[in-house]
Structures are given as structure tokens and as C-alpha cells.
Amino acid sequence: MVTGGGNGIGRACCVRFAAAGARVVVADLMTDAATETVQAVEDAGGEAVAVQLDASDQESNTAMMRTAVETFGGIDVLLTAAGISHADYVSGDRSGNEELVAEAIERMADPASAFVDMELAAWRKVLDVNLTGTMLAVQGAARQMVASGGSGSIVTIASVAAKHPDAGPLAYAVSKAGVWMFTKSVARLLGPANIRVNAIGPGFIQTNMTQVLTEIPGVEDMFTTSLPLRRLGTPDEVAAAALFLASDESSYFTGTILHPDGGYFTD
Ligand SMILES: NC(=O)c1ccc[n+]([C@@H]2O[C@H](COP(=O)([O-])OP(=O)(O)OC[C@H]3O[C@@H](n4cnc5c(N)ncnc54)[C@H](O)[C@@H]3O)[C@@H](O)[C@H]2O)c1
């Protein structure tokens, strides 16, 4: 089961997991995008089903679990990729990009404004989707895994922003730091039930979320010139790490974080 499976990193995970033999529940706020991912999985000979999910809503998460159990009989692996970079983020919508860049430039000149002018609703939205959304999906999947008496592997998507405040806006970085601490804490609680919980903390990956960076001349270079690998990562490079953590290849890993980040954390 993959939340945020309609685009970017989530979609790449769906396709890679299916290629490794998984039957995949593709959950996303955007049903069209989830259906496209199902098509991509089926075109490659795999099996998948799309389900609409609002990650921040408990009932929606419960419905997603029900679909997984009714369609495929249970949940072995959960990957939580549903996420937003800021409150108004809509994956693939380029219309607000110029405004976003203008705001970012303004903030560089007056960093305090990013905090003192921040709206409570905007803070809450990011925390609701990224952190509470992760908690709800993990809780729902863990309930199924515990009830079935079996094992399971849960992979959360954090970010390098979980550990470095410069890697994303305030609420985003805090939400991802929360995802990372949540992952470690839940790994301790679920380990005795034979359920492993690990995180991935990607660096800058080419998806809709970072397309605002690559669209503006010179901005991508700002991010990549200090990176040892000198380039953005691909969603499939994150999916490769996710498959490792999801599979028995990582059977002695729990409560850890892998950083496919091009060497971001070498400094
Ligand atoms: N792209 C990067 O550089 C990068 C780096 C580190 C972490 N991440 C994280 O990876 C994850 C995937 O992001 P991406 O880069 O693939 O972006 P993306 O926009 O391509 O994918 C995010 C997906 O989440 C879905 N989504 C958003 N809100 C949702 C909600 N309330 N309920 C259900 N689905 C929802 C979107 O519709 C979209 O399909 C996010 O958690 C993001 O924070 C991305």
C-alpha cells in the first residue's frame, strides 16, 4: 500500500514494488493520478488498484485499509509518500510558481518574515498531511498487521529536511523531523510484533515538488553545485532504497533512515 502513489516518488515505488511481485494499492488525493499509476503498473504486467485518500483524514485512511484487505487480503508493506511542501501545494499545478519564487526571494532578504507572518492554518495543513497523515496510515496498517498475527514492513518518507532546517520551509522541515522521530518511536513499539518501521530521507529529487526549482534558470545549479554527485536524484533512485527497506533484504533494519541524497549530508 502506497500513499501519495499518484505521482513522483510514490508512483516510482508502486511501479518498482509491482515489478518485484507486490500487488499494490495506489492511494492518492488525486484519483486520476492514482489511476494513471495503476495503468503504469498494469502495462508492466503487474496488479494494482486505485483508491482515493485524504491522508490527513482518519475515515479516509480506514477506507483505504478496508480496500487493501478486501482486494488483496491484507497488508504486508506500507509506504507513506503522501506529502506537501507548503499549504497551497497541489502536485503538478504550476500556476503559483512565480509567486512562490517571488516569496522565497523576499524571505531571503527578510528571513524573520517567514516565521512572524506565518499563518496558523498553513502550519496546521502541512503538519496534518505530512505528520498526522503518516501517523494515521501507519496506525491503520499496523492494526491490520498485528491483527493478522503476521509480520510487516513500513517505510515512511521523511526528507533531508528532517535533519537540516535549510532543506525546506519551516513547517515542512518540522513535519519531516516529526516523521523521523515518529518512525524511530514506532519502530520500538512494533518491533516485538515483528513489524519493521524505517524511513527514507531523500535529498532533492526530480518530481512535481521540486519542479519549481528546475524551471527557473540557475536555481537547480544553486542546489547541485555543492552536492558531491552534482545532480538531482530520480524518483526511481528513491524507490530502489524503498524496495530494500520494504523487502526481507533489510530484515535486520528497523528504526533507521536511509538518505538517497547525492551526498547532501557529507558536509
Ligand atoms: N521531491 C523531493 O525532492 C523530495 C525530497 C524529500 C522528501 N520528499 C517527500 O516525498 C514525498 C513524495 O513527494 P514527491 O516529491 O514525489 O511529490 P509529488 O507531488 O510528485 O507527490 C506527492 C503526492 O502526494 C499526494 N498528496 C498530497 N496531499 C495528499 C493528501 N492529503 N492525501 C493523499 N495524497 C496526497 C499528491 O497528490 C501527490 O500525488 C513527499 O512526502 C515529499 O515531502 C520529496
Side-chain angles (χ1 to χ4, degrees):
M1 187 159 65
V2 178
T3 75
N7 286 288
I9 291 170
R11 175 176 290 180
C13 290
C14 291
V15 170
R16 218 176 228 266
F17 288 7
R23 294 181 295 168
V24 187
V25 178
V26 184
D28 205 288
L29 194 59
M30 298 178 160
T31 35
D32 286 357
T35 305
E36 277 174 33
T37 300
V38 168
Q39 194 60 54
V41 167
E42 288 176 351
D43 289 349
E47 210 181 322
V49 62
V51 57
Q52 189 176 26
L53 168 75
D54 175 359
S56 62
D57 181 82
Q58 188 166 28
E59 273 176 32
S60 185
N61 274 278
T62 305
M64 170 178 71
M65 303 305 155
R66 207 178 308 122
T67 302
V69 172
E70 285 172 7
T71 315
F72 296 135
I75 303 159
D76 303 305
V77 169
L78 167 71
L79 180 126
T80 58
I84 54 177
S85 49
H86 56 279
D88 300 325
Y89 179 73
V90 177
S91 188
D93 179 4
R94 294 172 147 76
S95 60
N97 279 357
E98 278 179 24
E99 205 182 314
L100 212 63
V101 173
E103 272 176 26
I105 291 167
E106 244 173 68
R107 262 189 250 119
M108 272 188 239
D110 178 16
S113 67
F115 179 50
V116 295
D117 297 340
M118 187 179 69
E119 309 244 341
L120 178 60
W123 164 269
R124 280 202 173 128
K125 175 83 189 285
V126 174
L127 271 289
D128 277 355
V129 175
N130 292 1
L131 180 55
T132 305
T134 299
M135 185 281 291
L136 287 170
V138 171
Q139 189 186 37
R143 278 184 184 141
Q144 292 296 332
M145 289 169 180
V146 168
S148 70
S151 58
S153 178
I154 293 170
V155 183
T156 60
I157 302 288
S159 165
V160 286
K163 295 179 182 170
H164 201 303
D166 277 354
L170 175 62
Y172 181 79
V174 171
S175 74
K176 294 300 186 176
V179 167
W180 171 216
M181 178 52 80
F182 169 80
T183 303
K184 285 189 279 189
S185 300
V186 175
R188 294 180 75 91
L189 299 174
L190 295 179
N194 205 20
I195 299 166
R196 299 184 298 109
V197 192
N198 292 290
I200 298 186
F204 300 103
I205 309 299
Q206 269 178 313
T207 69
N208 288 334
M209 198 173 273
T210 50
Q211 143 266 323
V212 64
L213 305 179
T214 51
E215 248 178 23
I216 301 145
V219 175
E220 184 177 341
D221 285 352
M222 257 166 49
F223 281 85
T224 53
T225 43
S226 60
L227 275 183
L229 294 187
R230 297 282 194 278
R231 63 173 178 86
L232 300 181
T234 67
D236 198 46
E237 288 175 311
V238 179
L243 180 60
F244 168 70
L245 289 177
S247 77
D248 290 343
E249 293 293 306
S250 61
S251 53
Y252 203 50
F253 283 78
T254 199
T256 197
I257 187 166
L258 297 185
H259 289 294
D261 65 1
Y264 181 86
F265 278 129
T266 47
D267 63 359

